Amino acid sequence: MLAAFHEATASLLPTDEATLQRYLRGLAPQAWLPLAELFAARLPEFDAVIALPGDALVAEQVSRLRGVPLLCAEPGPGGWTLQGKPGEEVTGGEAVLLTEHLVNGVTEAAVIEQAQRRGLRVLLVGTAVERTSLGARSRLWELGVTVQTALQLADTPWGLIQERRQPERWLRSS
């Protein structure tokens, strides 16, 4: 079913950032389930899932499928906080950060640093769509975090297209 996500997204291409954002935000929760199932099946062991604001659909589904707490990153005046459900406090262990759209990695890096202050080691960032031209992967590697993605998009003068240089193959499914 991940092929349906690839095909639907590819039908938009080439496209601009705003159209991609509208498309991703307009996907129904069940459209994200195949990606969540793939992440749940293929990710290494972890103790918690971290979700960025507005990106909780995949993270909630992976949290439920794996039976681990979900921590929602919330921006505040002093930086980011990680909020879990009452009784699901996570103060140590390993976590994954899941997002629907990885752009430049700045927000993800800030949330990872907050998680580290809380005693969590973020193993990786998993994303549905990665913009390869904006340096997110390098920024996160500097923090010791790998990136796993379902679909990579590159910026061109004509708009966003599927990455062709060295596409990430980890999340391919048949």
Side-chain angles (χ1 to χ4, degrees):
M1 284 288 128
L2 188 58
F5 175 78
H6 278 263
E7 290 171 15
T9 306
S11 71
L12 297 171
L13 305 177
T15 191
D16 58 67
E17 175 69 19
T19 302
L20 177 64
Q21 285 287 353
R22 279 191 305 276
Y23 168 74
L24 293 174
R25 294 289 177 228
L27 286 175
Q30 64 269 22
W32 293 104
L33 187 56
L35 180 61
E37 289 172 340
L38 189 61
F39 275 126
R42 295 204 182 164
L43 292 178
E45 293 299 315
F46 52 87
D47 302 301
V49 176
I50 301 171
L52 296 179
D55 284 355
L57 288 172
V58 172
E60 286 173 353
Q61 292 171 344
V62 171
S63 169
R64 181 181 44 77
L65 289 166
R66 279 288 188 97
V68 298
L70 174 67
L71 301 174
C72 294
E74 301 288 338
W80 291 90
T81 61
L82 299 176
Q83 299 294 321
K85 291 179 183 176
E88 288 190 348
E89 282 300 311
V90 179
T91 56
E94 296 177 326
V96 295
L97 189 153
L98 300 179
T99 183
E100 294 164 7
H101 188 192
L102 180 61
V103 181
N104 59 20
V106 172
T107 300
E108 291 81 2
V111 170
I112 289 167
E113 289 171 356
Q114 175 59 32
Q116 290 171 340
R117 286 192 288 277
R118 192 169 168 168
L120 287 166
R121 180 175 166 256
V122 178
L123 301 172
L124 63 86
V125 170
T127 183
V129 177
E130 175 190 1
R131 295 272 303 282
T132 61
S133 308
L134 300 178
R137 190 173 286 261
S138 296
R139 179 173 280 112
L140 297 172
W141 275 345
E142 289 175 5
L143 296 173
V145 177
T146 60
V147 175
Q148 299 295 343
T149 186
L151 179 64
Q152 291 180 306
L153 299 180
D155 292 274
T156 71
W158 307 276
L160 297 170
I161 63 168
Q162 284 187 315
E163 179 62 71
R164 293 185 290 213
R165 293 173 290 185
Q166 292 180 328
E168 174 68 47
R169 299 284 185 219
W170 181 79
L171 278 177
R172 296 284 185 211
S173 69
S174 50

